[in-house]
Amino acid sequence: AEARGQPTRQLGSTSFFTLGYFSVWLLFSISATALQSTLEASGLLHGMFMWSTSSALTVGLLAAAGLYQLSPWKGACLEHCRSPVGWLAHNWRPGEGGAFVMGIVHGAYCTGCCW
């Protein structure tokens, strides 16, 4: 009877991991959309073409993106993304709650690597 319940339990944990992972990306997407809407409403972003109408904003965004690419945070995210299986093996948390937390952490690394 124990062996029969194992796939269902694994499917539940996988679902919770996925839910945690997508929750991070959803939060990032909502934040990016809110920022875009704010910049558009303030006239700093063109409404139709979505390009910057401010030289200062353009320079600031490019400088921030460039600095982030060279930061230790980006390096840590890249290191994680190069070996996610190793990270999972070393940071394993049992149960559905553990899977959800692991999904959140993994999602944060992936967002930091790819955004």
Side-chain angles (χ1 to χ4, degrees):
E2 183 75 28
R4 290 185 205 162
Q6 189 67 20
T8 303
R9 200 171 0 190
Q10 288 174 347
L11 181 60
S13 293
T14 302
S15 298
F16 276 88
F17 179 88
T18 304
L19 180 64
Y21 180 85
F22 284 129
S23 294
V24 172
W25 276 105
L26 179 63
L27 181 63
F28 170 77
S29 299
I30 290 169
S31 300
T33 301
L35 178 61
Q36 178 182 329
S37 180
T38 301
L39 290 172
E40 185 180 340
S42 68
L44 294 172
L45 197 65
H46 189 278
M48 181 175 283
F49 297 111
M50 293 297 145
W51 59 45
S52 173
T53 59
S54 164
S55 297
L57 176 64
T58 301
V59 169
L61 287 174
L62 287 173
L67 289 173
Y68 178 73
Q69 291 297 319
L70 302 172
S71 74
W73 298 310
K74 175 69 175 198
C77 292
L78 283 171
E79 188 64 32
H80 169 81
C81 287
R82 286 185 186 121
S83 180
V85 174
W87 179 84
L88 288 171
H90 286 77
N91 295 284
W92 183 258
R93 295 178 183 216
E96 292 171 345
F100 183 73
V101 170
M102 287 172 49
I104 288 173
V105 173
H106 183 64
Y109 275 118
C110 290
T111 303
C113 187
C114 300
W115 71 279

